[in-house]
């Protein structure tokens, strides 16, 4: 059943909350996953508490205030690339504080609030869960799912630096992985990520390495937050495991390193938002509430790009990889609708030659996220790289990059370098390169960048199609080729390179609700609200020509 756009933005896109008009009893609000949490006793557990609305407020007035108070870079990014109607919607309004206070009034402890999910994660006992469910504005209570990030198939191997600047490439140890995706050619045109903000979701970051502190191009961090310890320090802290920061530091090194002749990353002139939603101290690595909080933080602080290698294990079946089910997946869906280019590792679960099976893991099933698989130095698919498709038949992964013996920094030696494996490293290599394209084309929408990346990748250029086995997607990226592409504007419905009368006539012919399922949005639904209507018409007129 189709909801109106306002309800879609607040409830349906979260994939969590029930429609506010549903008649619910307290017990019907508690999802079965919550009972599973408490099967071993009454020890408090983390649950999502989802609210029906943003409270009895003047929403129109609150939304009108947001362009004045929101982060300037985030507002500009939304002006350039947002595809949802307007600059802001109810998802951007804060969670209603009295609702949060009522949850804590039951004795539960609130850990994180999410604007996009419209709820809070809380540590609650069974009795407290029952009390929360009785609150009239609570629509659903669901378990906070735990996440793990796969350990790379091969431990990192220390690398010796190349023989000095004079005898080697400017990129040093990173020469092969960046040349494989034709990024140096884009750098030579002056596009090195300057002015672009990349948000990284990972385990923590040690930024003392010499590659992050070159006097000519030191690492630029515009914002950071540790969501595990709830403080602004994402580096190693007292009480952290000794390996807490390892993975994040190595991921950052593929993008931000700058040691000419030794190791240079793909986006050495970009700025960075560092977030730490992963905790290595317990039996889990992360939980989805911290991931969504980190993603919201990146968007709210002006991030142009977000890159992640977190994936779910043991929580979702393959038929749930539909782009609508997992909380993290829906977080990506909201971020991309706000013009954030999102990149996600496919996972290291391996692949087979059967296109009917998939080893993909959420949130790699998000609709507009670019999911990245791994290849070796020869371009062959890594044995561990996960394959698709999604449950609804979409191509995942879309593109490939080096994920075998990828060169980066060592996390515990400020002058060392290492070779690492995993789609975890193919993904930031791609995200960093994409930052250079965003510098060249800041106005490109998420779909336009996806189009450019996929239609210029090597498998597609050779076959005019994607890999039917869903292992290689559209192939290895050609970043300079993607930057030179001419992707159609979302309002160019007939794909002829201009927005004109034919597009107008197509829009009229498609007028009305999109067929189910939606999302993914249908042709003519430019603002992605699952209806072809007046807002789409106005966007088309605004881009005429």
């Amino acid at each position: 059943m189709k909801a109106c756009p306002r309800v879609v933005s607040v409830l349906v896109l979260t994939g969590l909350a029930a429609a506010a008009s549903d008649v619910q009893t307290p017990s019907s609000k508690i999802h079965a996953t919550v009972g599973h949490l408490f099967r071993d006793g009454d020890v408090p557990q983390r649950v999502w508490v989802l609210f029906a609305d943003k409270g009895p407020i003047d929403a129109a007035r609150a939304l009108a205030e947001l362009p004045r108070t929101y982060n300037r870079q985030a507002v500009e990014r939304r002006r350039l690339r947002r595809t949802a109607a307007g600059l802001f919607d109810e998802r951007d309004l804060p969670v209603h504080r009295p609702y949060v206070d009522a949850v804590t009034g039951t004795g539960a402890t609130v850990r994180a609030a999410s604007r996009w999910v419209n709820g809070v994660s809380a540590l609650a006992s069974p009795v407290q869960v029952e009390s929360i469910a009785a609150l009239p504005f609570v629509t659903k209570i669901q378990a906070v799912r735990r996440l793990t990030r796969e350990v790379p198939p091969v431990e990192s191997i220390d690398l010796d630096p190349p023989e000095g600047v004079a005898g080697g490439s400017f990129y040093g140890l990173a020469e092969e992985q960046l040349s494989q995706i034709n990024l140096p050619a884009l750098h030579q045109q002056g596009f090195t990520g300057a002015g672009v903000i990349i948000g990284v979701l990972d385990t923590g970051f040690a930024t003392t390495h010499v590659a992050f502190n070159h006097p000519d191009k030191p690492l630029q961090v515009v914002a950071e937050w540790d969501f595990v310890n709830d403080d602004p320090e994402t580096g190693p802290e007292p009480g952290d495991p000794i390996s807490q920061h390892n993975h994040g530091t190595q991921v950052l090194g593929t993008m931000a390193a700058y040691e000419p002749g030794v190791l240079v990353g793909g986006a050495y002139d970009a700025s960075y938002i560092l977030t730490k939603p992963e905790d290595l101290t317990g039996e889990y690595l992360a939980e989805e509430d911290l991931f969504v909080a980190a993603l919201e933080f990146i968007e709210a602080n002006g991030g142009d790009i977000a890159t992640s290698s977190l994936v779910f294990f043991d929580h979702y079946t393959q038929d749930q990889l539909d782009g609508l089910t997992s909380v993290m997946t829906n977080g990506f869906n909201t971020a991309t609708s706000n013009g954030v280019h999102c990149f996600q590792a496919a996972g290291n679960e391996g692949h087979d030659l059967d296109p009917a099976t998939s080893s993909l893991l959420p949130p790699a099933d998000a609709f507009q996220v670019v999911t990245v698989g791994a290849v070796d130095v020869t371009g062959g698919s890594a044995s561990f790289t996960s394959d698709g498709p999604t449950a609804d038949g979409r191509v995942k992964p879309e593109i490939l990059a080096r994920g075998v013996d990828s060169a980066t920094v060592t996390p515990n030696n400020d002058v060392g370098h290492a070779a690492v494996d995993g789609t975890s490293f193919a993904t930031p290599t791609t995200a960093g390169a994409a930052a250079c394209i965003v510098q060249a084309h800041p106005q490109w929408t998420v779909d336009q960048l996806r189009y450019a990346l996929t239609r210029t990748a090597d498998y597609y250029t050779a076959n005019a199609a994607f890999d039917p086995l869903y292992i290689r997607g559209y192939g290895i990226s050609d970043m300079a080729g993607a930057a030179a592409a001419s992707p159609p504007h979302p309002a160019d419905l007939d794909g002829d390179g201009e927005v004109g009368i034919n597009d107008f006539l197509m829009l009229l012919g498609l007028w009305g609700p999109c067929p189910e399922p939606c999302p993914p949005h249908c042709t003519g639904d430019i603002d992605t609200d699952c209806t072809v209507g007046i807002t789409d018409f106005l966007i088309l007129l605004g881009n005429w020509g």
Side-chain angles (χ1 to χ4, degrees):
M1 180 178 71
K2 177 172 290 298
C4 67
R6 178 178 295 266
V7 175
V8 167
S9 67
V10 179
L11 302 177
V12 176
L13 286 180
T14 68
L16 290 173
S21 60
D22 290 349
V23 177
Q24 294 178 290
T25 62
S27 61
S28 71
K29 297 177 184 179
I30 303 173
H31 193 272
T33 56
V34 177
H36 180 76
L37 284 180
F38 295 114
R39 63 183 178 180
D40 295 326
D42 293 340
V43 177
Q45 301 289 337
R46 291 189 178 95
V47 295
W48 279 113
V49 180
L50 287 309
F51 302 135
D53 52 46
K54 293 297 179 80
I57 61 171
D58 185 341
R61 181 176 180 180
L63 290 171
E65 283 291 303
L66 282 177
R68 184 178 63 83
T69 59
Y70 214 67
N71 177 276
R72 180 180 58 82
Q73 289 96 333
V75 171
E76 181 59 21
R77 185 203 61 244
R78 287 178 177 225
R79 290 187 195 280
L80 286 171
R81 302 197 292 269
R82 181 171 153 101
T83 52
L87 278 180
F88 296 93
D89 57 40
E90 283 93 338
R91 288 172 294 182
D92 298 305
L93 298 177
V95 176
H96 192 49
R97 187 69 216 181
Y99 291 174
V100 180
D101 293 341
V103 172
T104 59
T106 68
T109 302
V110 168
R111 180 165 75 158
S114 169
R115 296 174 291 124
W116 294 352
V117 171
N118 191 25
V120 296
S121 61
L123 191 66
S125 68
V127 171
Q128 291 163 351
V129 166
E130 292 288 347
S131 298
I132 294 168
L135 297 172
F137 44 79
V138 170
T139 61
K140 191 171 186 179
I141 302 174
Q142 176 173 314
V144 172
R145 297 184 187 267
R146 292 179 173 179
L147 298 73
T148 57
R149 175 183 45 76
E150 295 168 291
V151 176
V154 176
E155 294 297 325
S156 62
I157 301 171
D158 290 340
L159 295 175
D160 293 325
E163 293 188 7
V165 178
S169 147
F170 167 72
Y171 301 98
L173 295 166
E175 168 69 29
E176 290 179 336
Q177 64 206 45
L178 299 185
S179 294
Q180 187 177 56
I181 58 174
N182 199 22
L183 183 58
L186 189 54
H187 284 174
Q188 290 165 14
Q189 299 172 40
F191 301 116
T192 54
V196 179
I197 301 174
I198 302 174
V200 190
L201 301 95
D202 221 287
T203 64
F205 312 88
T207 59
T208 53
H209 197 282
V210 294
F212 300 138
N213 292 278
H214 193 281
D216 293 339
K217 295 185 183 295
L219 175 69
Q220 300 295 319
V221 177
V222 298
E224 62 180 310
W225 197 262
D226 178 344
F227 288 88
V228 176
N229 296 314
D230 197 25
D231 63 44
E233 175 57 66
T234 60
E237 297 181 86
D240 282 350
I242 192 170
S243 61
Q244 175 73 53
H245 61 283
N246 287 8
H247 190 270
T249 303
Q250 291 174 322
V251 162
L252 185 62
T254 65
M255 299 179 285
Y258 189 77
E259 288 181 273
V262 180
L263 179 74
V264 173
Y268 53 83
D269 276 330
S271 299
Y272 291 85
I273 299 171
L274 306 181
T275 68
K276 177 185 167 184
E278 296 190 50
D279 182 7
L280 301 185
T281 60
E283 62 183 16
Y284 61 91
L285 286 174
E287 289 174 312
E288 62 188 2
D289 56 337
L290 299 187
F291 180 93
V292 174
L295 197 56
E296 291 185 25
F297 181 83
I298 289 169
E299 191 281 328
N301 280 279
D304 295 293
I305 288 174
T307 182
S308 159
S309 61
L310 267 174
V311 292
F312 278 119
F313 282 92
D314 304 325
H315 293 297
Y316 291 100
T317 58
Q318 286 299 308
D319 62 356
Q320 292 177 308
L321 294 175
D322 56 4
L324 292 168
T325 300
S326 94
V327 179
M328 285 170 51
T329 295
N330 283 292
F332 269 142
N333 291 341
T334 302
T336 53
S337 74
N338 283 318
V340 181
H341 302 288
C342 294
F343 295 82
Q344 169 65 38
N348 301 327
E349 289 292 278
H351 55 270
D352 57 28
L353 301 180
D354 184 355
T357 63
S358 171
S359 60
L360 198 69
L361 296 164
D365 61 318
F367 290 118
Q368 292 173 297
V369 72
V370 176
T371 302
V372 184
V375 295
D376 60 24
V377 66
T378 70
S381 295
S383 61
F384 53 79
T385 191
S386 290
D387 63 351
T390 62
D392 52 333
R394 287 175 288 117
V395 178
K396 296 284 182 179
E398 286 95 340
I399 56 177
L400 309 168
R402 180 83 171 269
V404 177
D405 292 335
S406 297
T408 187
V409 301
T410 52
N412 296 302
N413 177 351
D414 285 347
V415 296
H417 309 86
V420 291
D421 288 358
T423 56
S424 293
F425 303 106
T427 304
T429 296
T430 302
C436 303
I437 301 177
V438 174
Q439 180 189 357
H441 301 288
Q443 79 286 359
W444 276 6
T445 65
V446 168
D447 275 341
Q448 285 179 302
L449 180 60
R450 283 171 51 83
Y451 180 98
L453 289 172
T454 57
R455 295 321 190 267
T456 58
D458 68 347
Y459 192 95
Y460 185 85
T461 57
N463 301 284
F466 58 83
D467 171 20
L469 299 178
Y470 295 96
I471 299 169
R472 298 184 65 83
Y474 295 87
I476 298 172
S477 309
D478 176 352
M479 293 300 173
S486 299
H489 189 275
D492 179 16
L493 303 183
D494 63 0
D496 67 353
E498 71 174 286
V499 179
I501 189 64
N502 289 338
D503 304 298
F504 171 71
L505 294 175
M506 285 183 66
L507 190 79
L508 291 182
L510 296 163
W511 200 270
C514 292
E516 297 290 351
C518 183
H521 57 272
C522 57
T523 303
D525 179 22
I526 304 169
D527 65 355
T528 67
D529 69 350
C530 294
T531 299
V532 180
I534 189 63
T535 305
D536 305 299
F537 171 69
L538 295 174
I539 294 173
L540 188 147
L541 288 184
N543 289 278
W544 196 272

